[in-house]
Amino acid sequence: MGRIKRLLTLVLSVAIVLAMNASVFGAEINRNERMMLDSFKEEPFASYLDKKYINQFENFFSQDNVDVEKKTATLFIRYFSKAIVEYKKSGGKGPVFSQSDVSFENFQYAGSTIGLYLEYDSSSNRFYAIDASGYVVLDSSKVIKDTDDAKQGSNSQEGESLGVFR
């Protein structure tokens, strides 16, 4: 009887130890999403794309329901690259988007390849990307708002780059 108690105690102890060590894994960035993030460090993206937007993309790709395939990643990079090139052609300064702007259309195409809807609000000179569930994934508004009286009159100043760009 003593041996059975010891064996039962040992089995229960091992089961408790194993149960305490249960791990939960969140979504990971796959190879294609990593390729997209790495491409942002190269031209034409590197000189125009702020780091905070790369972080917002990385957060988006880390979600459980986001899994980008290679073909989709390639299309995204192609359209996003075209959008940057068109932005550069326009001088790369200030608010340059309109609903019919070639650069804006390419940004929209790029976003749509990965399930994002891009919208530009010309009244506040801000753009944002929304996923299928309505969550704002990218947002160009400032985290800390200017409170200086001189800056409250307008959201953008001459020569200031558009949110996502430096």
Side-chain angles (χ1 to χ4, degrees):
M1 189 73 173
R3 292 186 111 185
I4 294 177
K5 282 185 179 181
R6 284 187 200 159
L7 183 60
L8 188 57
T9 303
L10 179 65
V11 169
L12 286 175
S13 297
V14 170
I16 289 172
V17 169
L18 291 175
M20 290 181 358
N21 196 19
S23 299
V24 176
F25 296 100
E28 294 182 11
I29 295 175
N30 70 26
R31 183 179 336 161
N32 302 318
E33 296 160 350
R34 176 60 49 204
M35 176 185 71
M36 293 167 68
L37 292 170
D38 289 344
S39 72
F40 294 154
K41 297 174 186 169
E42 301 168 2
E43 290 301 326
F45 309 110
S47 58
Y48 282 88
L49 196 60
D50 280 344
K51 184 163 176 51
K52 78 176 190 175
Y53 298 103
I54 296 171
N55 291 340
Q56 289 179 6
F57 270 117
E58 192 166 358
N59 291 339
F60 172 66
F61 294 143
S62 295
Q63 295 177 18
D64 287 332
N65 61 343
V66 176
D67 191 27
V68 178
E69 296 177 3
K70 184 170 182 146
K71 181 179 178 182
T72 303
T74 304
L75 278 173
F76 175 85
I77 292 169
R78 181 183 311 147
Y79 284 123
F80 204 72
S81 179
K82 284 181 181 179
I84 296 288
V85 169
E86 289 298 322
Y87 179 77
K88 283 174 151 180
K89 284 181 185 176
S90 70
K93 292 183 179 177
V96 295
F97 288 153
S98 69
Q99 294 298 331
S100 62
D101 186 57
V102 174
S103 181
F104 179 71
E105 288 175 1
N106 282 308
F107 279 119
Q108 282 189 316
Y109 292 147
S112 68
T113 62
I114 58 174
L116 297 177
Y117 173 73
L118 181 76
E119 187 59 51
Y120 176 68
D121 181 2
S122 61
S123 66
S124 63
N125 188 29
R126 117 178 221 249
F127 77 90
Y128 46 93
I130 303 169
D131 67 6
S133 62
Y135 178 75
V136 176
V137 175
L138 294 169
D139 191 346
S140 70
S141 62
K142 293 181 180 180
V143 175
I144 300 173
K145 298 191 183 218
D146 295 326
T147 57
D148 184 15
D149 289 337
K151 290 186 178 182
Q152 286 181 348
S154 86
N155 288 339
S156 66
Q157 296 179 2
E158 181 121 4
E160 181 181 332
S161 64
L162 178 66
V164 70
F165 306 111
R166 294 183 192 164

